Amino acid sequence: MKVQSTKNINRRDFLKTSSAMAAIGGLGMKLYGGEIVDAFAAPAKATGQDEWKLSYCAGCIWPFCSSKVHVKDGVAVELEGNPDNPYNQGTLCLRGQAQLGNLYNPYRVKTPVKRTNPKKGRDEDPGWVEISWEEAFDTIAKKMKPVIEKDPRRFVVRMGFASSLNESRLASICFPAAVGSPNSNMIAGALCAVHYTPKVYHGTYVDKVDLQRCNYLITAGKTIGPNYGQASGPCRALPDALERGMKLVVVDPRCSSEASKGEWVPIRPATDLAFGLGFAHTMVHEIGRLDFNFLKVHTNAPYLIGEDGLYVRDLETGKPLVWDSVDQVAKTFDDPSRKDYALEGKFEIDGKAAAPAFEKLKEHLKPYTPEWAEEITSVPAATIRRLASEFVEAAQIGSTIVIDGIELPYRPVAFVAERGVASHVGGRHAHLITGLISALVGANDVPGSVIGLYPGAGKVFAQPGPDGTLLNPGEKMTHYYKGRPWEWPVNTSELKGMYPIAHSAPQMAMKVIKDPHKYGLEYEFDVMMIYGENSIMNVADGDDTIEAYNSVPFTFSIAYHYDETTLLADIVLPEASNYEREQVAESHPVQSGDDSTLSVSGVVYKRPVVDKVYDSLQSEEIVTELADRLGILYGEGGLNDINNKFHSIKPEYALDLNKRYTFDEIIDHRMKSKYGPEIGLDYLREHGMYHVRLPLSSAFYYTDYPDDQTRVPIYFHDLYAVGVELKKNMQSVGLELPPNWPEDKKDLFWNKYQPLPLWEDSHLFTAPAEFDLFVVNWRALGRNLGIGGMDDNPFLRELYSKLEYGATCFFMNTATAASKGLKNGDKVIIESQHGGKIEGQLFVTQTIHPEVIGTAGNGGRYSKYMNPVSQAGVNFNQLITAKEGFIDSTSGVIDISARVKIVKA
Ligand SMILES: Nc1nc2c(c(=O)[nH]1)N[C@H]1C(S)=C(S)[C@@H](COP(=O)(O)OP(=O)(O)OC[C@H]3O[C@@H](n4cnc5c(=O)[nH]c(N)nc54)[C@H](O)[C@@H]3O)O[C@H]1N2
Ligand SMILES: Nc1nc2c(c(=O)[nH]1)N[C@H]1C(S)=C(S)[C@@H](COP(=O)(O)OP(=O)(O)OC[C@H]3O[C@@H](n4cnc5c(=O)[nH]c(N)nc54)[C@H](O)[C@@H]3O)O[C@H]1N2
Ligand SMILES: [Mo]
């Protein structure tokens, strides 16, 4: 087959190509690829159509930038941002602008296919043969039926971010639930265990910064928008805040575009916990100016901790006790007779020693001086001291601000972290300590600080739990508080009982799929569904993933293009592309924002803007048909029932359990249930969106924090309690550690459950000396994930190589290069302590820490069936590992850094 590279085509040519492609859709197309010249041969049919259709982008995981699509003669020819949307206000980012490439991509899956080569592997050609949808559905149903009858757990789903762009989650979550399988593995999260800290401090799975009022912002291992060029809120709010005079401090091994607009604090990778400990030490032991009132009534600082590390509880009510420093007696945390809380001191309760959590924290922080932190992080002690005192100063402890007539604490500071901090061994503690530092000055869910996600929903997400600490029954991740239930024999592929508060653990599941009995399962896997995930390229130990996938007898993939995981499927089902889908997405401000969006939320809507270019279906249509054939669409526990429950559809709009719906009808039910009878399909079709602006004060959950009842931790009691429980459960079946966790790394497993973060050396600090550098990776502007077909899109690939300066190169510090006798442009090999190797070109720069090698994004895709432009760059993930002992035991996260050496190629 001849595949023509589209590497060099320019925009005009591409659009010509695209127009024609639509017109030839359905004609004798090649299974994949196709000569671009073919397309010119068949001009679009003139129908006189010339209109702008309302839609939204879905080119990244925050799919709520509204767009308009110019459609002429049945062909989408132009995209624009829709000014009516308060988030993107008429703009689209570069990825959004390139989405026509997603629609008219000749390398899409064009028709259902089956493989004819039974051998599966990196170099095996699947030998795709075109089949009808009927044959595809029939084959899959025949394979699945016996599984459902025998043991539905034998069905496993591997889904990634490309699946979650479809907010219905009908295929990725509801379908496996209707099958009755608990094995629905989310790929996203293996390298970004970022939800725990926002959950603990705000009750929502991510948080955001109030940039309109913040005066001093520290980000660590996180971009708050502009780094990946978001078109919605943050991209405008950050520059505005900087212009207003907000100070931005960026703690990162590399100087990102954001860092270049503020103070860059170069840090040795994976040492953020040490930085946080040194920072907190300075605040508590040297500055001593904290928000003591907030600590007393809104944190667990006064809770008495016993010798066992757990809360000391009132025997009668079971409530945690505090020490009333006036009455000199222990009382329950919410006793209305309290006069004052002791934060320090040592007490005796029922003959046993106890001390307030704050006392414990203070004692714990003592050895972690800035000098100690300097040794580990390479950040000078003087810098840590200066930043801590600037932070405390800027916090304006005690000040208030009136918003909507409500007087609220005003703390215009924020310390936020994300993937770069959280995704290391010890990363959960490192992330938590940023929340702790903010809490020490009361900068939690108040104006100017870090706040929860959904405006107006404080009452839902910041509810008081029985211990007085924040509990959030409003979202589906409540396991973070108490841990998922213990299971023995092991029930789930992700070992949820042994990693009860892990983010998501597709990398564990990959091992379990390969070797179920070794991990304590009593069953094997018979059928696998792949949907928009790439655990070969995006996670770690790709060859192990291939082996695991090969061990499942039958696999089907709902696919947009022939990505690497899809190459291992037996049947491939073509998915409609972004602009061919009917879909809704919830909009709410993320990461950061200003008053234009902070209290706005709603929904965006789209429907196909053109006729299907190829013979594809939406995933919702696919699984509805499958469920029907499998007899799991109707009745209690059927797909309709699960859909009702998953989206909490109100009874009056609930789907009839015995009716087959089209997906637009389902959208109508869901939207009316959520927004009222007026906001159904008709409304959304006319307007393309629905947004509600609430009073600004509703963005700050503090307004819903009852004193004494909605506390956040400065002592990670619940994390510790989960560990205590886990140890007990494991011991009850004779285990000291999960299967395969190395004996000599036992402490590394259990210490991550400590209530106060301990610094410990991970494998990054004990690697053989020849691996003298650290490697890091970050999201690139034109490729922050593989969704929206970013890797396969010639526009984006071209922009990516130009905009992200040196993007497909290895960044190395100028001084380091000189000391190694290397220069800009040299061909080099990076070899990891774990054995992986990648080859590329050196980019010598001062914008990276001297001990670090860095590379942006993820490339080097090897599927020969995708556009060849996707092969550019390197697959960073070959340098890291998902092996037990090298991951964080609490989050399950894979360390995104490794020690490496570099040699000239
Ligand atoms: N090197 C490196 N690795 C990373 C990251 C990184 O920054 N750098 N980020 C990590 C993080 S934080 C995450 S969350 C994960 C995400 O990892 P995944 O969840 O795997 O997400 P993606 O790569 O975005 O997309 C998955 C697959 O879907 C395909 N695809 C694209 N569009 C569509 C579509 O419309 N439909 C279907 N069915 N498939 C589609 C893509 O080609 C890709 O193969 O990656 C992690 N891996
Ligand atoms: N528009 C848009 N938004 C997105 C996404 C998207 O695809 N599109 N993806 C979403 C997803 S899945 C995720 S997980 C988040 C990720 O969001 P972020 O975590 O903000 O993104 P990254 O660029 O992956 O990594 C952040 C930074 O960590 C730095 N870093 C690496 N190692 C270390 C370290 O050891 N210490 C410190 N301090 N820094 C380090 C990197 O240099 C990089 O600058 O973004 C989400 N937001
Ligand atoms: Mo992620």
Side-chain angles (χ1 to χ4, degrees):
M1 195 208 64
K2 202 170 143 211
V3 177
Q4 180 172 318
S5 166
T6 47
K7 220 177 264 176
N8 298 318
I9 62 170
N10 63 32
R11 187 183 165 102
R12 230 183 61 229
D13 287 346
F14 182 80
L15 284 179
K16 273 196 227 156
T17 309
S18 327
S19 326
M21 208 64 211
I24 62 159
L27 300 179
M29 314 163 290
K30 295 194 167 55
L31 269 185
Y32 41 80
E35 294 182 47
I36 298 298
V37 284
D38 280 352
F40 297 117
K45 206 166 100 210
T47 60
Q49 184 197 20
D50 185 347
E51 59 180 318
W52 286 87
K53 294 195 170 182
L54 299 182
S55 190
Y56 68 83
C57 175
C60 83
I61 65 156
W62 305 124
F64 41 73
C65 292
S66 289
S67 58
K68 290 181 176 179
V69 188
H70 191 182
V71 183
K72 275 172 105 168
D73 296 331
V75 178
V77 293
E78 198 179 350
L79 287 173
E80 259 180 20
N82 184 342
D84 295 340
N85 184 312
Y87 292 98
N88 63 309
Q89 297 182 12
T91 62
L92 284 180
C93 75
L94 58 95
R95 297 177 301 277
Q97 289 285 358
Q99 283 295 305
L100 287 183
N102 179 266
L103 178 62
Y104 296 121
N105 176 0
Y107 294 85
R108 285 175 55 187
V109 181
K110 297 172 179 169
T111 168
V113 297
K114 68 176 177 193
R115 83 184 296 121
T116 52
N117 178 3
K119 283 206 220 118
K120 298 176 177 180
R122 256 181 218 265
D123 302 318
E124 294 293 342
D125 188 324
W128 301 125
V129 172
E130 187 173 339
I131 55 171
S132 65
W133 276 103
E134 175 55 34
E135 183 181 344
F137 283 130
D138 188 53
T139 313
I140 296 167
K142 281 198 176 113
K143 295 282 182 186
M144 285 191 71
K145 250 212 149 111
V147 174
I148 294 177
E149 278 155 18
K150 189 169 163 193
D151 183 350
R153 296 177 300 175
R154 290 171 169 264
F155 175 60
V156 58
V157 173
R158 305 277 290 175
M159 50 154 168
F161 259 135
S163 80
S164 56
L165 284 181
N166 299 322
E167 200 181 58
S168 74
R169 302 297 181 103
L170 204 65
S172 54
I173 295 179
C174 300
F175 180 65
V179 168
S181 174
N183 294 314
S184 182
N185 305 159
M186 182 56 180
I187 277 29
L191 270 70
C192 62
V194 295
H195 299 319
Y196 191 81
T197 297
K199 276 278 177 193
V200 165
Y201 284 95
H202 312 282
T204 52
Y205 76 111
V206 284
D207 51 28
K208 60 182 192 268
V209 179
D210 171 16
L211 281 178
Q212 181 107 16
R213 279 156 288 273
C214 187
N215 290 332
Y216 195 94
L217 169 62
I218 307 179
T219 66
K222 175 186 179 85
T223 166
I224 58 168
N227 265 1
Y228 28 69
Q230 245 164 255
S232 57
C235 237
R236 292 186 306 275
L238 183 65
D240 287 352
L242 291 169
E243 238 171 63
R244 180 175 54 79
M246 180 189 80
K247 176 160 180 182
L248 174 65
V249 177
V250 177
V251 182
D252 200 303
R254 58 137 192 164
C255 183
S256 62
S257 59
E258 286 174 8
S260 70
K261 301 286 180 286
E263 176 177 348
W264 175 37
V265 180
I267 188 168
R268 194 174 279 145
T271 64
D272 302 273
L273 176 57
F275 177 82
L277 287 165
F279 198 103
H281 170 100
T282 311
M283 290 172 78
V284 171
H285 285 281
E286 299 181 9
I287 303 172
R289 201 146 34 91
L290 306 172
D291 190 339
F292 290 109
N293 181 53
F294 185 84
L295 286 172
K296 286 175 182 175
V297 297
H298 287 299
T299 75
N300 65 0
Y303 284 25
L304 293 170
I305 307 296
E307 282 162 331
D308 58 359
L310 296 167
Y311 293 149
V312 181
R313 293 179 185 273
D314 178 39
L315 291 177
E316 219 170 278
T317 60
K319 288 182 179 177
L321 293 174
V322 295
W323 188 260
D324 187 327
S325 52
V326 178
D327 288 351
Q328 288 292 315
V329 65
K331 295 181 179 174
T332 60
F333 71 87
D334 57 353
D335 187 329
S337 77
R338 70 155 201 284
K339 301 210 171 62
D340 201 1
Y341 300 102
L343 290 179
E344 298 188 43
K346 297 201 163 89
F347 309 98
E348 215 183 271
I349 310 289
D350 296 331
K352 288 192 185 133
F358 184 75
E359 169 82 20
K360 292 271 182 195
L361 172 69
K362 197 167 172 181
E363 215 173 277
H364 179 80
L365 289 173
K366 216 176 242 164
Y368 295 129
T369 60
E371 283 71 20
W372 168 87
E374 173 175 343
E375 281 288 303
I376 293 173
T377 61
S378 82
V379 180
T383 305
I384 299 175
R385 281 206 172 86
R386 175 176 52 80
L387 295 175
S389 74
E390 286 175 5
F391 184 81
V392 172
E393 191 61 37
Q396 304 189 22
I397 297 165
S399 65
T400 58
I401 188 170
V402 176
I403 292 182
D404 301 331
I406 304 169
E407 190 176 10
L408 287 166
Y410 176 51
R411 299 288 178 277
V413 293
F415 188 171
V416 285
E418 210 161 334
R419 203 171 81 91
V421 165
S423 305
H424 298 289
V425 174
R428 188 152 264 177
H429 273 149
H431 198 182
L432 278 170
I433 205 166
T434 63
L436 184 152
I437 285 169
S438 300
L440 287 175
V441 295
N444 197 75
D445 275 319
V446 299
S449 73
V450 200
I451 59 183
L453 202 58
Y454 309 103
K459 279 200 179 69
V460 180
F461 295 102
Q463 281 187 19
D467 285 349
T469 43
L470 182 150
L471 190 80
N472 66 317
E475 251 185 11
K476 294 181 173 87
M477 288 160 144
T478 43
H479 66 268
Y480 277 164
Y481 295 88
K482 298 288 170 213
R484 299 182 183 95
W486 170 247
E487 43 178 56
W488 192 263
V490 172
N491 188 41
T492 56
S493 54
E494 289 184 290
L495 302 176
K496 288 178 178 165
M498 287 176 197
Y499 297 91
I501 48 169
H503 176 115
S504 64
Q507 74 279 20
M508 305 309 296
M510 178 264 285
K511 298 169 213 279
V512 175
I513 291 168
K514 191 166 122 193
D515 223 337
H517 303 300
K518 180 166 147 194
Y519 284 91
L521 271 74
E522 291 179 328
Y523 61 94
E524 289 121 39
F525 298 91
D526 293 342
V527 176
M528 176 157 68
M529 172 175 118
I530 294 171
Y531 182 19
E533 65 94 4
N534 205 326
S535 38
I536 300 173
M537 305 302 290
N538 291 341
V539 184
D541 304 335
D543 286 332
D544 292 348
T545 306
I546 293 175
E547 234 183 276
Y549 281 26
N550 286 353
S551 71
V552 182
F554 178 79
T555 299
F556 66 99
S557 174
I558 301 178
Y560 161 78
H561 49 195
Y562 294 97
D563 52 0
E564 289 75 6
T565 43
T566 298
L567 292 184
L568 303 176
D570 296 286
I571 292 219
V572 185
L573 306 174
E575 184 180 21
S577 76
N578 282 335
Y579 278 112
E580 295 168 322
R581 292 177 199 162
E582 178 147 24
Q583 205 62 249
V584 286
E586 246 185 66
S587 33
H588 48 68
V590 286
Q591 292 163 333
S592 60
D594 58 20
D595 290 358
S596 65
T597 58
L598 271 195
S599 60
V600 176
S601 65
V603 67
V604 289
Y605 166 84
K606 67 178 172 191
R607 64 198 296 200
V609 295
V610 290
D611 291 343
K612 295 259 176 68
V613 180
Y614 305 118
D615 188 12
S616 62
L617 290 175
Q618 286 202 189
S619 64
E620 290 85 2
E621 296 167 322
I622 293 174
V623 296
T624 301
E625 175 63 24
L626 269 179
D628 202 352
R629 287 176 186 238
L630 290 168
I632 54 168
L633 178 58
Y634 305 120
E636 228 163 273
L639 193 62
N640 282 352
D641 187 29
I642 297 206
N643 199 358
N644 280 336
K645 289 179 179 140
F646 183 75
H647 291 288
S648 313
I649 304 180
K650 289 182 185 140
E652 61 267 40
Y653 297 107
L655 305 175
D656 181 330
L657 298 194
N658 296 310
K659 185 179 159 195
R660 181 164 167 164
Y661 290 91
T662 54
F663 188 57
D664 57 350
E665 290 170 336
I666 296 180
I667 292 180
D668 193 52
H669 280 246
R670 276 185 53 201
M671 293 302 106
K672 284 179 175 158
S673 162
K674 186 152 188 192
Y675 298 106
E678 303 301 314
I679 314 298
L681 209 51
D682 292 342
Y683 180 94
L684 291 172
R685 283 191 171 158
E686 190 184 340
H687 301 274
M689 69 187 88
Y690 174 69
H691 286 106
V692 181
R693 183 180 293 276
L694 294 169
L696 185 60
S697 54
S698 73
F700 308 107
Y701 289 6
Y702 188 89
T703 48
D704 293 316
Y705 279 8
D707 268 14
D708 290 338
Q709 292 176 44
T710 328
R711 298 161 179 270
V712 294
I714 55 103
Y715 180 90
F716 305 117
H717 174 273
D718 293 357
L719 174 75
Y720 178 62
V722 167
V724 170
E725 191 62 23
L726 176 63
K727 200 173 223 169
K728 246 191 269 164
N729 288 327
M730 294 240 262
Q731 284 171 347
S732 74
V733 297
L735 293 174
E736 290 296 320
L737 286 166
N740 235 20
W741 191 282
E743 248 330 290
D744 63 344
K745 292 193 169 171
K746 192 171 166 181
D747 287 348
L748 203 69
F749 185 89
W750 293 110
N751 283 344
K752 301 301 173 235
Y753 283 101
Q754 287 298 319
L756 291 165
L758 277 179
W759 171 259
E760 264 180 314
D761 284 344
S762 70
H763 59 278
L764 292 180
F765 304 92
T766 55
E770 60 181 300
F771 298 100
D772 57 340
L773 297 167
F774 293 80
V775 72
V776 301
N777 177 247
W778 56 89
R779 275 173 164 58
L781 204 57
R783 197 280 177 200
N784 46 35
L785 283 173
I787 49 176
M790 284 180 219
D791 290 342
D792 214 18
N793 187 316
F795 286 158
L796 280 176
R797 295 308 300 210
E798 192 179 330
L799 281 167
Y800 175 30
S801 64
K802 286 181 181 156
L803 285 176
E804 185 80 11
Y805 199 45
T808 51
C809 294
F810 302 144
F811 288 46
M812 182 185 258
N813 187 280
T814 317
T816 314
S819 76
K820 289 183 178 289
L822 295 167
K823 58 181 190 323
N824 201 33
D826 277 355
K827 287 263 186 319
V828 291
I829 296 169
I830 300 183
E831 191 181 331
S832 155
Q833 66 181 127
H834 309 300
K837 274 187 201 169
I838 53 178
E839 200 176 323
Q841 213 174 358
L842 211 59
F843 173 61
V844 173
T845 168
Q846 292 188 9
T847 61
I848 194 144
H849 190 286
E851 295 166 26
V852 175
I853 278 270
T855 155
N858 199 9
R861 300 195 60 165
Y862 69 81
S863 169
K864 294 187 188 73
Y865 308 92
M866 283 171 61
N867 191 320
V869 296
S870 63
Q871 291 160 18
V874 289
N875 181 216
F876 167 83
N877 306 51
Q878 293 178 27
L879 301 175
I880 54 180
T881 185
K883 290 191 179 59
E884 288 96 338
F886 298 88
I887 59 175
D888 187 285
S889 58
T890 62
S891 65
V893 83
I894 294 170
D895 206 307
I896 51 164
S897 187
R899 289 294 283 269
V900 294
K901 63 181 171 191
I902 188 158
V903 291
K904 238 176 155 158

